[in-house]
Structures are given as C-alpha cells and as structure tokens.
C-alpha cells in the first residue's frame, strides 16, 4: 500500500513513512561479524533494561517514588528482553551443537 497517496495530511510521521517506503531496501550483511555485533547489542540493551528495573525497585523500596506504574513497566520490559535473550542463547547453543555433529 502506498501511503504517499494520502492527501491533506501534514504529518512528519506520514512523510517519513512514505520516504522510507519509497526507498529500496538495502542488501543486508549476513556475515558472522554483523550477527555477532547484533547479539552484543541485544545483550547491552537487556542489561540496560535490567539495570533500569533494579533502579526502579530501589527507588520504590526507599520511598523515593510511589509510582508503581513505572516499576511495573520496567519489570515487564526487562522480563521480555531477558526472555528474548535466553531464547537467542538457546538457539545459538542448538546451532553450535548441530555444527559440532557435522562429519568432516
């Protein structure tokens, strides 16, 4: 669907989406280095979310904040990121075991 055909809408989001949709997708780099860097980036993001959760827990425990909403959001984000990271780890281990079973 071509969203650039929407008329009378002056939105930066629509203009950005139309520009993104009109450009050709770039060739993705499927090398191991890019995969490894992506995995390291995901680990860093997971660690940041876990630290944010811990920070919110400490603030709540010390009485600095009474906002349980931020605490529950931080906990949900950290839990989701950790689940995703564990799933990736399991897939990497499974792939490693499969590679090790290859007969040379």
């Amino acid at each position: 669907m071509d969203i650039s055909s929407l008329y009378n809408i002056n939105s930066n989001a629509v203009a950005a989406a139309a520009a993104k949709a009109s450009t050709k997708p770039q060739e993705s780099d499927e090398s191991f280095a890019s995969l490894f860097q992506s995995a390291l980036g995901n680990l860093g993001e997971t660690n940041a979310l876990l630290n944010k959760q811990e920070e919110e827990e400490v603030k709540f425990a010390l009485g600095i904040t009474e906002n349980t909403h931020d605490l529950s959001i931080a906990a949900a984000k950290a839990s989701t990121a950790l689940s995703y990271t564990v799933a990736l780890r399991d897939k990497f281990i499974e792939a490693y075991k499969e590679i090790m079973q290859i007969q040379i």
Side-chain angles (χ1 to χ4, degrees), residues 56-57 59-60 63-74:
E56 290 294 329
E57 287 173 350
K59 283 182 183 178
F60 186 74
I64 296 172
T65 183
E66 293 179 4
N67 191 354
T68 58
H69 182 71
D70 290 341
L71 177 61
S72 64
I73 288 175

Side-chain angles (χ1 to χ4, degrees), residues 22-93:
S22 66
T23 60
K24 294 180 182 177
Q26 296 179 352
E27 296 287 326
S28 62
D29 183 17
E30 296 295 328
S31 68
F32 179 76
S34 67
L35 180 64
F36 186 69
Q37 290 301 323
S38 176
L40 287 179
N42 286 338
L43 282 175
E45 185 177 342
T46 300
N47 285 336
L49 289 171
L50 288 169
N51 289 338
K52 177 69 174 169
Q53 176 193 1
E54 187 175 334
E55 179 183 316
E56 290 294 329
E57 287 173 350
V58 168
K59 283 182 183 178
F60 186 74
L62 293 176
I64 296 172
T65 183
E66 293 179 4
N67 191 354
T68 58
H69 182 71
D70 290 341
L71 177 61
S72 64
I73 288 175
K77 284 182 178 181
S79 175
T80 302
L82 188 60
S83 297
Y84 179 72
T85 302
V86 168
L88 279 177
R89 181 209 58 191
D90 292 344
K91 286 294 183 179
F92 280 131
I93 291 173

Side-chain angles (χ1 to χ4, degrees), residues 1-11 13-15 17-18:
M1 178 177 187
D2 186 19
I3 65 170
S4 62
S5 63
L6 297 174
Y7 298 108
N8 297 326
I9 297 178
N10 296 326
S11 170
V14 172

